[in-house]
Amino acid sequence: MTTIHEVAEAAGVSISTVSYALSGKRPVSEKTRRRIEDAVQTLGYEPDAGARMLAGRRTQIFGLTEPLRADTHAPTHMAFVLAAAVAARRRGYDILLLTDEQASEGMNRVAASNLVDAILVLDVAPDDERADIARSLRSPTVFIGIPDDADGLTCVDLDFEGTGHLAVDRLADAGHTSVTLLGQTEVSYRKSNFPRRLLLGVQERAAQRGVDLDWATTGDTTTDASAVRGAAEMALSRGVRAFIVHAVGDVHEILLETIAAHGLTVGEDVSVISAAASFDTSSLAVPVDTIPLVPQKSCELAVDLAVRHLEEPGTPAQIHLIPPEYHVAGSVAPARE
Amino acid sequence: MTTIHEVAEAAGVSISTVSYALSGKRPVSEKTRRRIEDAVQTLGYEPDAGARMLAGRRTQIFGLTEPLRADTHAPTHMAFVLAAAVAARRRGYDILLLTDEQASEGMNRVAASNLVDAILVLDVAPDDERADIARSLRSPTVFIGIPDDADGLTCVDLDFEGTGHLAVDRLADAGHTSVTLLGQTEVSYRKSNFPRRLLLGVQERAAQRGVDLDWATTGDTTTDASAVRGAAEMALSRGVRAFIVHAVGDVHEILLETIAAHGLTVGEDVSVISAAASFDTSSLAVPVDTIPLVPQKSCELAVDLAVRHLEEPGTPAQIHLIPPEYHVAGSVAPARE
DNA sequence: TTGAAAGCGATACCAA
DNA sequence: TTGGTATCGCTTTCAA
């Protein structure tokens, strides 16, 4: 293993100059920097992580806690983990995984041992026990999702209520007076809170705009195809021609199939908006207007906030809602008389 | 932050005694150990990770590389990540995530900087570039999966060929002379190698036992329900009454539905074996005999091997195949005349 | 059974 | 623009 001493010797300078040349925290003359870089190159030098942590009081590691509850939608979750890892890496941080029981216990452990510079919290539950833990830690902690008691916490999330407002507005603007919200599974309305927040936003705005609203869940603990089909058919037969879908890809597919089976055409006879979908809606059978939930955005903001808290320790905790963005694909049509 | 010095002072001993008392690497008298433990407790002492790494030359961290290719089955993958994290933690190790481009590049980085003690490799491809990287590293590396060129590598995996053998044997023993293998997607036979290994095992044993074999894939890049149904119907109409399924849960469900739709009963008219499934087959509509792929087993063995390589540096690289286990659920019936 | 002290390999302060 | 060196908090050898 090559050390900073060997690099210094090879370059004919002191170790402090090597350190400064590599960190850029002090100006170094062009030619000495070249010599140092050459030495680093030929010797294959890589600073020792442990020594760095000890001397620099920075680990360049973020903890990522994820309980991985059984009802977590795996693809969505993986997208968030991946996005967090990529975002962190861009800022020079690695991700240390805290899953399962370690999700809570590990937070204390890695914070107390200075293994991580900050902690990112995924898969947030309404009554998340990690909220209290976070409040008791000195390490900056950023929640991706919002617990019921978010007091004193830094949180990042899509503005689900705003998303609900936006979806209803678009349909109401198109003249629809009757809308069905095809939601998540029953269990997710109890164990998470973003589905409720979207529902609330939809209900609120529907009331304001005088829109009749129906709400159907899509299964008990897991997506139930026949329940979805049933709900869609019921709505269509009652004359509903506008849908907001807050669900996984399969539910979208079933709705689109059911609409087609009724001899109706999305974007002409029926309007559909996909709300807060984290999958690629462009791969659906029919193009659907989407207000997407973009893991990259949430995670990049979360990482930015963690870094900011590290660099400016005084930064106040705050909830950051990401404004919804409406992507037109032609699935919303004017209501027919 | 409390340091080992404060603990030593509080307990009235030297720091070395504290260190030894906590690591157990040297006998410490009962009563001094008590005093030290008390001090640790009341002060809330947790050893500094960086200092530990530097002085102890051990990080207690494993790198986990996972490219997360687009065709990766998310739930299966998550099960492996979780199992790896749990197994590692049991032995006192944390998991550092190396995803995406970092899967390869990161291996070199974390190994060179001594950030990790060993590396676990997930999501192994036939021509995996991480094979060469692993061979060039000094850090112990364990593959969970087997690349085509596994020379000099330590690998862990289910014995997929043996799984194929076992499945065919059970059906042949029951008198079946005609079997259909319902396999994975097309793409997985190109981008992974375990599907091929299972296929090979099935073909081999089918030839040996004089069993007619048909093989159907279940879609191009993603599971195609109608393709699965078509394959199942084709087989049933040709008189095939024995199936080996190597696929995700949905494919099982579709096969079972199709069998029922033909008025046939699994375990009486038709025999079905699920091979190398990593999901919980007990939640299927009909109980199905299973030769499971258990992430916990693979990951525990992988972690054990990594630890062994750390403790006994001479340990030779080797491929470790986990013997298949047959779980009876009553879905295999004697063939009818 | 215990203690003193020499590192481990960086960072960053104080001088020059 | 550069160098010397104290320091970070622990592990482990050597001595007692």
Side-chain angles (χ1 to χ4, degrees), chain B residues 11-269:
Chain B
V13 295
S14 71
I15 65 164
S16 49
T17 299
V18 174
S19 178
Y20 284 119
L22 295 180
S23 72
K25 292 190 181 173
R26 192 168 85 171
V28 170
S29 81
E30 186 54 32
K31 67 164 177 276
T32 47
R33 226 205 35 232
R34 275 216 96 67
R35 292 222 310 286
I36 290 170
E37 276 165 5
D38 286 353
V40 165
Q41 204 64 40
T42 60
L43 293 176
Y45 170 70
E46 193 77 29
D48 181 84
R52 221 169 184 184
M53 291 184 199
L54 182 55
R57 302 143 165 312
R58 277 292 167 80
T59 69
Q60 299 299 110
I61 298 174
F62 285 158
L64 183 72
T65 101
E66 37 160 9
L68 287 187
R69 305 180 258 126
D71 56 301
T72 302
H73 183 60
T76 300
H77 188 80
M78 255 181 56
F80 273 91
V81 172
L82 177 59
V86 170
R89 198 63 214 117
R90 277 217 188 103
R91 309 296 298 264
Y93 289 85
D94 276 303
I95 292 290
L96 189 97
L97 222 49
L98 300 170
T99 46
D100 222 49
E101 344 90 45
Q102 286 292 311
S104 297
E105 183 194 329
M107 281 175 78
N108 288 311
R109 185 172 55 80
V110 300
S113 63
N114 299 315
L115 220 195
V116 304
D117 291 334
I119 295 176
L120 305 178
V121 181
L122 237 48
D123 222 346
V124 178
D127 59 340
D128 209 300
E129 61 179 6
R130 293 170 297 174
D132 279 336
I133 299 179
R135 280 184 277 260
S136 76
L137 295 181
R138 330 174 102 239
S139 314
T141 305
V142 180
F143 284 68
I144 297 173
I146 307 179
D148 284 346
D149 176 11
D151 204 51
L153 300 180
T154 298
C155 304
V156 168
D157 211 355
L158 173 65
D159 181 356
F160 282 93
E161 287 193 45
T163 299
H165 294 162
L166 183 50
V168 172
D169 276 337
R170 288 296 183 125
L171 294 174
D173 288 350
H176 290 282
T177 55
S178 192
V179 169
T180 288
L181 170 62
L182 219 48
Q184 308 249 314
T185 56
E186 300 274 355
V187 69
S188 66
Y189 284 90
R190 295 194 305 272
K191 298 224 183 157
S192 302
N193 74 22
F194 62 90
R196 292 204 298 256
R197 282 156 50 207
L198 187 121
L199 172 60
L200 191 67
V202 167
Q203 288 173 327
E204 224 171 57
R205 189 53 52 94
Q208 290 166 359
R209 307 272 318 231
V211 167
D212 274 354
L213 178 70
D214 263 309
W215 166 47
T217 54
T218 52
D220 188 8
T221 59
T222 174
T223 298
D224 176 353
S226 58
V228 176
R229 210 180 315 273
E233 257 156 17
M234 164 80 88
L236 289 171
S237 67
R238 282 184 36 247
V240 174
R241 291 295 179 270
F243 292 86
I244 298 172
V245 189
H246 180 207
V248 296
D250 286 354
V251 171
H252 290 70
E253 297 288 9
I254 294 169
L255 172 62
L256 296 177
E257 278 169 23
T258 309
I259 290 171
H262 277 243
L264 299 170
T265 303
V266 170
E268 293 182 18
D269 316 304

Side-chain angles (χ1 to χ4, degrees), chain A residues 13-287:
Chain A
V13 297
S14 72
I15 64 164
S16 51
T17 301
V18 175
S19 178
Y20 285 120
L22 295 180
S23 72
K25 293 190 181 174
R26 192 166 85 171
V28 169
S29 82
E30 185 55 30
K31 64 166 178 275
T32 48
R33 224 203 40 229
R34 276 215 95 66
R35 292 221 310 285
I36 289 170
E37 276 165 5
D38 285 353
V40 165
Q41 203 66 39
T42 62
L43 293 176
Y45 170 71
E46 194 77 28
D48 180 86
R52 227 172 178 182
M53 292 184 197
L54 182 54
R57 291 123 184 313
R58 277 291 166 80
T59 69
Q60 299 300 111
I61 298 175
F62 285 159
L64 183 73
T65 102
E66 36 159 12
L68 287 186
R69 304 179 261 128
D71 56 300
T72 303
H73 183 59
T76 300
H77 188 80
M78 255 182 55
F80 273 91
V81 172
L82 178 59
V86 170
R89 200 63 214 117
R90 277 218 188 100
R91 303 299 228 90
Y93 290 85
D94 276 301
I95 292 290
L96 190 97
L97 223 47
L98 299 171
T99 47
D100 222 48
E101 343 89 46
Q102 286 293 309
S104 297
E105 181 195 330
M107 282 175 77
N108 287 312
R109 185 172 54 82
V110 300
S113 63
N114 299 315
L115 220 196
V116 305
D117 292 334
I119 295 176
L120 305 179
V121 180
L122 237 48
D123 222 346
V124 178
D127 59 342
D128 209 301
E129 62 179 3
R130 294 170 296 175
D132 280 335
I133 299 179
R135 280 185 276 260
S136 76
L137 294 181
R138 330 174 100 236
S139 314
T141 304
V142 180
F143 284 68
I144 298 173
I146 307 178
D148 284 346
D149 175 11
D151 204 51
L153 301 180
T154 299
C155 304
V156 168
D157 212 355
L158 173 65
D159 180 357
F160 282 92
E161 287 194 44
T163 300
H165 294 162
L166 183 50
V168 172
D169 275 337
R170 288 297 183 124
L171 294 174
D173 288 350
H176 291 281
T177 55
S178 191
V179 169
T180 288
L181 169 62
L182 219 46
Q184 308 248 315
T185 55
E186 299 275 356
V187 69
S188 65
Y189 284 91
R190 295 196 304 272
K191 298 224 183 157
S192 301
N193 75 19
F194 62 91
R196 292 203 298 255
R197 282 157 50 208
L198 187 122
L199 173 60
L200 191 67
V202 168
Q203 288 173 327
E204 222 172 59
R205 188 54 52 94
Q208 290 167 357
R209 306 275 314 236
V211 166
D212 275 351
L213 178 68
D214 263 307
W215 167 47
T217 53
T218 52
D220 188 9
T221 58
T222 173
T223 299
D224 176 353
S226 58
V228 176
R229 208 181 316 274
E233 257 157 15
M234 164 81 87
L236 288 171
S237 67
R238 282 183 35 247
V240 174
R241 291 294 179 269
F243 293 86
I244 298 172
V245 189
H246 180 207
V248 296
D250 288 354
V251 172
H252 289 71
E253 297 288 9
I254 295 170
L255 172 62
L256 296 177
E257 277 170 23
T258 308
I259 291 172
H262 277 241
L264 299 170
T265 302
V266 170
E268 292 182 17
D269 315 302
V270 181
S271 295
V272 177
I273 295 178
S274 175
S278 64
F279 65 95
D280 181 13
T281 51
S282 71
S283 64
L284 290 173
V286 177

